[in-house]
Amino acid sequence: MTLPAYYHYWGKAKSDKDTGETSYHLLPYHCLDVAAVAVCWLKLCPNLLDRFSAITKLDHKQTQAWILFFIALHDYGKFDLRFQRKAKQAWQTVNPGLSKVPDQLNGKEIKEYHHGFAGLFWFYQDQKARFDTDQEDDYCFEENEEWEAWYSWLASVVGHHGIVPEDSEKENSSEYQLRASDELAAAFRQSRLQWLQLLEQLFLIPAGLNLSDNPPKLETGKYQQSSATLLAGFCSVSDWLGSSDAFDYHDQPCQSLQELQNWYRNRLAIAEQALINAGLTAHIQRYQSVQRLLEKNHQPRQVQCLVDELPDNPGLTLIEAATGSGKTEAALAYAWKLLGSGLADSIVFALPTQATANAMLSRLEKAAPILFQRQTNLVLAHGRSRYQQDFINLQQACRPQTVQQKEEAWVQCGQWLAQSRKRVFFGQIGVCTVDQVLVSVLPVKHKFVRGFGVGRSVLIIDEVHAYDSYMYGLLEAVLEQQRMAGGSAVLLSATLPFQQKQQLAKVWDCTLAESQRSYPLITHCQSNKTDYFNLSPLPEQQPKKSAVGIELIKTEDLFPNQAVMKRMLDAVESGAQVCLVCNLVADAQALYQQCLDLIEQSPEINNDQCLLFHSRYLFNHRQDKEKKVLDLFGAKPNPGDARKRGHLLIATQVVEQSLDLDFDWLITQLCPVDLLFQRMGRLHRHQHNQAQRPENFQSPVCTILLPTEIDYDLHELIYGNSRVLWRTEQLLQQAVAEHGAKIKFPTSYRDWIEKVYQDGCWPQEPESVQASYQAYEDDCFSSKMLAKQLITSSMQALSDNDSNVSALTRDGEMNLTVTPVYHNAAGQNCLLDGRLLDDLDESEKPEVLNLNSVAVPKSWGNRGRLSEPDEDGVIWLSMQHQENNCFHATINEFIYHYHADSGLTRTTEIEETP
């Protein structure tokens, strides 16, 4: 009996270092291993098959048939002599006949051959008679449509090594055409065609399909996102698992189709166990109610009461409610409801900053066992996590053992996951900064793995008002990607301007009614249908009415004057918990040093009663800061300790978002009204602390520092334009004049924010403010266009490292990452935590560097004379180790200083931009 030609090819091979012998796994077996992972995954997580069926508009049986058929084609490009010669001994053993035929290849052609893109080329060339015609008629148009359908699937699976090929690759003969004899070329083509016929028998025919049928085209949306993202990510992760050591090598061909089918069925048990070990399978608890997520004896309130009314359908959900109203638990409860209805397998919770992501973890740790049965993969991007490391042995995977070296799928998996921020996409609950989600639509390698991880999840984005125009341009593409994957997104905010909400709703093909001004409000968008959910008149469900007293003080540069500084320290001395919020890190650092100087002169206050908190710390130091801040000012301070003495926290915007903090008195520099209200939400947040508030702080008061002139200087640069600052200032002054210096909530949320962000000029709006806003509008348009250009860019995909992620997703202040280093006494390069660079294993290096990096303004790279990024995207800052764990560097006119208390500072006589 003549064996089918496809058995004469190896798919995976490795050499024994001791014996020099090469063991190999036949190519059909590897392809079927990956298909086995895929079919078991669809069985264990039926939501995935539902998603794919909604995309294909076919029944489950035919949808699964096309999925398995194409996934088994993912290594079609390995049916090529250049790939087979990568392991010459394996090629000679598996195909002694053809291996004796002379060829014209050189080492460079073999080394540089990449089978992913070549798979698209060979498939098109093998089927050219079907897809290509020179006739200018309707038939020609139909043929092109036919290819577009096949291309939408095939490109997604052959791109499993990180980059989905463009359609043009199908005819790139100069790069992929094989320089070999006609005999060799014909043999390889015959093998590929026989492989197609086998896959037709295994997967298509049992579902009533065959090779003459066309798969349904995977569509692309107006933001250039494609439903093929789900397939590309699904295939890539299936290939990672199917390439793992769980699957042993087989080098003996099956003697019949039935024997091969039996072999394949036996691999299913291995595949299922690999998925379970990886922690990718979800065991969801039956949905009960939002009550289960609340503290004992706490009843649902405000938006939490609306969860059970929300539809069990995928869609875009906007939750607008006041700070501290329970939006997080409402979003989690609704996500649980969608999980319980089989509409998702996991949750990805994205927040604006790492500090807010860290703070969210403890809340989600309590929710995880309620939402999921058994052990749950709860993953925080950097930091504490409960994650099953069985998914991958990083040390093993990052050391190439196969002849494919870095091209090996398991090695690429290890290198991709070596940065823990990416593991959020493989957990049941992943917590990350929004950057990690936004990059799924940008030109980086394996972006579709992120897209798949988000697509199979309920995506929750907190503080959605906190993003600039550039990030909104990316966010809209992310939301389209989520919609096309059949997923759901839940966006949280105190309130959004109507124009902003309308833009988000358009992504889901919905239009909002401007007349819907209820507050709090939940808006649900689904397939051209918009539903609104507001509160019943029951008093216990309504938000509690409150008023915050405001005090306006005009100062130079928005710095507190000496009188305010003295009042702050006097308040601390009286036992008050005080917070001063600055808009710039440099301001916070300077004021912190001033306070320490004043404390030196005060016998009543110690240095440990004054804290600095911002984003410019090494990760471990930032973690320590966050923990101390939450211990001192959080919802449940350490009993008998935290609030017995007064404390002053000098902080930046990190305290205004998602952190559950409670202050007796708040001082803040002027900022846009929505952010101002966020900051005010940290005043008198918890009733149980009321008895411990000092006598003069029984009522909440916010002191707001205003400029002496209509000149907002660097603060205007931070927030993009002076209009929002000027209008916020006018409303504050009006409130002092008309309302007894009080702002009433929740009514002020909708009224004030809509006024500040409304189109058109206000009466007496200064020309300088109008000009600033016009420049801002132009910048916003340019930023959105830049985002869209990047999304649709054909630029070469960048390495998916944190430096590129930061640069690609941030168009504002923090979009540069530096890694400080110093020389120890032995002259060795050390990170600031003391670890030697040369001692780092490749599997841990990306993570360790991330933990020892600091986010800084992009201007530091432009004017700061910092080094250019190296080939891994790392910007090194060489420093000197001084006393008391201080680190110092002088680069031209700039002086850099790092300490765990103050973070990274830069001083110069030249005026510094944020």
Side-chain angles (χ1 to χ4, degrees), residues 164-338:
V164 174
E166 299 288 340
D167 185 22
S168 58
E169 297 291 338
K170 71 181 185 293
E171 294 175 317
N172 197 348
S173 58
S174 61
E175 184 172 353
Y176 302 120
Q177 194 65 53
L178 177 64
R179 291 194 312 115
S181 67
D182 292 343
E183 180 185 357
L184 276 173
F188 276 93
R189 183 173 189 272
Q190 179 190 22
S191 303
R192 292 192 295 266
L193 294 178
Q194 285 188 11
W195 179 237
L196 281 174
Q197 292 164 1
L198 172 68
L199 297 183
E200 178 187 40
Q201 288 180 286
L202 288 177
F203 301 123
L204 297 184
I205 290 175
L209 301 167
N210 58 61
L211 283 172
S212 64
D213 293 320
N214 292 317
K217 183 181 177 183
L218 302 177
E219 298 295 336
T220 299
K222 61 183 179 182
Y223 294 92
Q224 300 301 308
Q225 299 312 300
S226 172
S227 52
T229 296
L230 203 67
L231 175 64
F234 181 65
C235 178
S236 191
V237 181
S238 295
D239 184 39
W240 287 351
L241 290 177
S243 301
S244 70
D245 291 340
F247 293 87
D248 55 330
Y249 280 14
H250 282 217
D251 57 14
Q252 295 303 308
C254 291
Q255 300 302 308
S256 66
L257 176 61
Q258 183 176 357
E259 185 180 340
L260 179 61
Q261 289 172 322
N262 290 336
W263 182 93
Y264 174 65
R265 279 192 286 269
N266 289 334
R267 303 296 267 190
L268 296 179
I270 300 173
E272 183 168 331
Q273 192 58 52
L275 283 159
I276 292 171
N277 289 344
L280 286 169
T281 57
H283 303 279
I284 299 161
Q285 301 271 24
R286 181 180 60 84
Y287 173 71
Q288 297 173 43
S289 70
V290 68
Q291 177 75 58
R292 284 284 288 114
L293 296 174
L294 303 180
E295 296 285 344
K296 189 176 181 180
N297 299 323
H298 283 216
Q299 296 300 314
R301 59 195 176 87
Q302 299 190 38
V303 289
Q304 296 171 349
C305 301
L306 300 173
V307 172
D308 290 341
E309 298 179 29
L310 301 180
D312 291 344
N313 294 310
L316 173 68
T317 306
L318 292 156
I319 301 180
E320 296 176 276
T323 300
S325 61
K327 293 189 294 292
T328 298
E329 287 71 23
L332 283 174
Y334 185 43
W336 183 17
K337 188 178 180 183
L338 295 172

Side-chain angles (χ1 to χ4, degrees), residues 637-645 692:
N638 294 330
D641 178 29
R643 301 189 84 92
K644 275 192 173 181
R645 293 194 307 160
Q692 300 180 60

Side-chain angles (χ1 to χ4, degrees), residues 499 723 727 753-762 773:
Q499 297 95 324
R723 172 182 275 187
R727 288 183 174 181
I753 290 173
E754 290 298 341
K755 286 177 182 176
V756 167
Y757 287 97
Q758 73 182 38
D759 290 333
C761 295
W762 280 17
Y773 183 71

Side-chain angles (χ1 to χ4, degrees), residues 580-781:
L580 167 62
V581 187
C582 300
N583 298 329
L584 292 88
V585 174
D587 283 2
Q589 290 171 325
L591 286 167
Y592 174 68
Q593 188 56 54
Q594 286 185 31
C595 282
L596 291 184
D597 292 342
L598 291 173
I599 288 172
E600 286 292 323
Q601 304 168 26
S602 171
E604 306 297 331
I605 308 176
N606 299 321
N607 282 357
D608 63 358
Q609 290 176 264
C610 183
L611 292 85
L612 177 64
F613 185 35
H614 54 74
S615 57
R616 208 172 293 168
Y617 292 99
L618 298 185
F619 176 75
N620 288 337
H621 296 156
R622 189 169 67 236
Q623 289 280 77
D624 292 342
K625 287 281 184 179
E626 289 168 20
K627 183 179 184 305
K628 191 164 186 179
V629 166
L630 287 168
D631 285 346
L632 290 173
F633 309 107
K636 290 185 176 179
N638 294 330
D641 178 29
R643 301 189 84 92
K644 275 192 173 181
R645 293 194 307 160
H647 295 90
L648 170 61
L649 176 65
I650 300 175
T652 59
Q653 293 91 335
V654 292
V655 297
E656 77 189 19
Q657 299 160 344
S658 301
L659 293 181
D660 191 2
L661 305 175
D662 183 323
F663 301 108
D664 300 327
W665 180 28
L666 184 74
I667 307 98
T668 175
Q669 294 178 326
L670 177 67
C671 62
V673 63
D674 47 339
L675 306 181
L676 178 63
F677 286 174
Q678 287 287 110
R679 295 177 186 184
M680 288 182 176
R682 275 66 193 161
L683 262 174
H684 289 226
R685 190 177 176 97
H686 295 296
Q687 186 61 35
H688 63 254
N689 286 330
Q690 198 63 28
Q692 300 180 60
R693 302 193 199 281
E695 182 178 348
N696 295 331
F697 299 93
Q698 289 298 307
S699 297
V701 173
C702 178
T703 298
I704 303 160
L705 306 177
L706 305 178
T708 54
E709 305 289 341
I710 303 176
D711 179 8
Y712 302 99
D713 196 30
L714 297 181
H715 306 274
E716 176 181 342
L717 209 58
I718 287 288
Y719 295 112
N721 76 100
S722 60
R723 172 182 275 187
V724 289
L725 295 171
W726 182 83
R727 288 183 174 181
T728 301
E729 183 178 359
Q730 303 313 300
L731 289 178
L732 289 168
Q733 292 175 341
Q734 183 180 333
V736 169
E738 298 178 2
H739 305 293
K742 286 186 180 295
I743 301 178
K744 296 180 179 179
F745 295 103
T747 55
S748 294
Y749 277 103
R750 189 77 80 198
D751 292 342
W752 282 47
I753 290 173
E754 290 298 341
K755 286 177 182 176
V756 167
Y757 287 97
Q758 73 182 38
D759 290 333
C761 295
W762 280 17
Q764 289 87 45
E765 195 164 276
E767 289 186 10
S768 62
V769 169
Q770 296 179 43
S772 173
Y773 183 71
Q774 186 56 55
Y776 168 73
E777 284 277 88
D778 294 342
D779 286 344
C780 285
F781 180 79

Side-chain angles (χ1 to χ4, degrees), residues 358-598:
N358 295 341
M360 188 60 65
L361 183 67
S362 59
R363 299 169 76 174
L364 295 177
E365 281 178 329
K366 296 176 183 176
I370 299 172
L371 274 58
F372 295 95
Q373 302 173 18
R374 307 180 190 175
Q375 184 176 0
T376 304
N377 276 351
L378 175 57
V379 187
L380 174 69
H382 273 352
R384 295 175 293 144
S385 62
R386 257 192 297 126
Y387 187 77
Q388 286 178 238
Q389 293 299 332
D390 290 346
F391 182 81
I392 182 169
N393 183 322
L394 287 175
Q395 284 193 334
Q396 182 183 32
C398 286
R399 295 170 185 158
Q401 298 178 358
T402 66
V403 296
Q404 290 178 256
Q405 297 291 303
K406 291 187 176 181
E407 196 181 355
E408 167 61 48
W410 192 233
V411 175
Q412 291 189 351
C413 174
Q415 292 173 339
W416 197 80
L417 285 174
Q419 294 178 352
S420 69
R421 298 185 184 202
K422 299 168 187 173
R423 296 175 206 164
V424 297
F425 304 110
F426 295 138
Q428 273 72 62
I429 303 179
V431 192
C432 60
T433 57
V434 74
D435 310 64
Q436 302 299 317
V437 172
L438 296 180
V439 80
S440 67
V441 297
L442 289 170
V444 297
K445 292 180 180 178
H446 290 113
K447 68 176 185 176
F448 46 76
V449 176
R450 293 175 187 264
F452 167 69
V454 174
R456 74 187 187 100
S457 307
V458 178
L459 172 63
I460 302 174
I461 302 181
D462 200 6
E463 312 288 3
V464 76
H465 59 271
Y467 310 123
D468 59 28
S469 297
Y470 176 79
M471 297 176 77
Y472 256 85
L474 302 180
L475 177 59
E476 288 165 13
V478 167
L479 294 177
E480 179 182 72
Q481 182 171 272
Q482 190 72 347
R483 176 178 63 80
M484 298 193 76
S488 297
V490 183
L491 310 181
L492 312 182
S493 179
T495 189
L496 286 171
F498 178 77
Q499 297 95 324
Q500 215 166 18
K501 288 198 297 181
Q502 185 76 283
Q503 191 64 29
L504 294 170
K506 282 182 181 178
V507 180
W508 240 265
D509 295 327
C510 290
T511 302
L512 302 184
E514 196 165 1
S515 58
Q516 283 289 340
R517 295 180 58 84
S518 301
Y519 192 86
L521 180 68
I522 298 181
T523 306
H524 185 271
C525 302
Q526 179 205 349
S527 302
N528 299 305
K529 182 176 182 288
T530 306
D531 295 310
Y532 304 94
F533 301 86
N534 46 46
L535 298 178
S536 70
L538 295 176
E540 62 270 21
Q541 294 184 6
Q542 293 291 332
K544 181 182 177 182
K545 293 181 179 180
S546 62
V548 174
I550 54 174
E551 175 190 31
L552 308 181
I553 300 178
K554 294 194 173 187
T555 66
E556 293 288 335
D557 300 323
L558 300 188
F559 264 53
N561 55 34
Q562 289 299 313
V564 174
M565 295 282 282
K566 183 177 186 307
R567 283 176 56 196
M568 289 192 303
L569 295 180
D570 287 345
V572 172
E573 188 177 333
S574 71
Q577 311 305 320
V578 182
C579 181
L580 167 62
V581 187
C582 300
N583 298 329
L584 292 88
V585 174
D587 283 2
Q589 290 171 325
L591 286 167
Y592 174 68
Q593 188 56 54
Q594 286 185 31
C595 282
L596 291 184
D597 292 342
L598 291 173

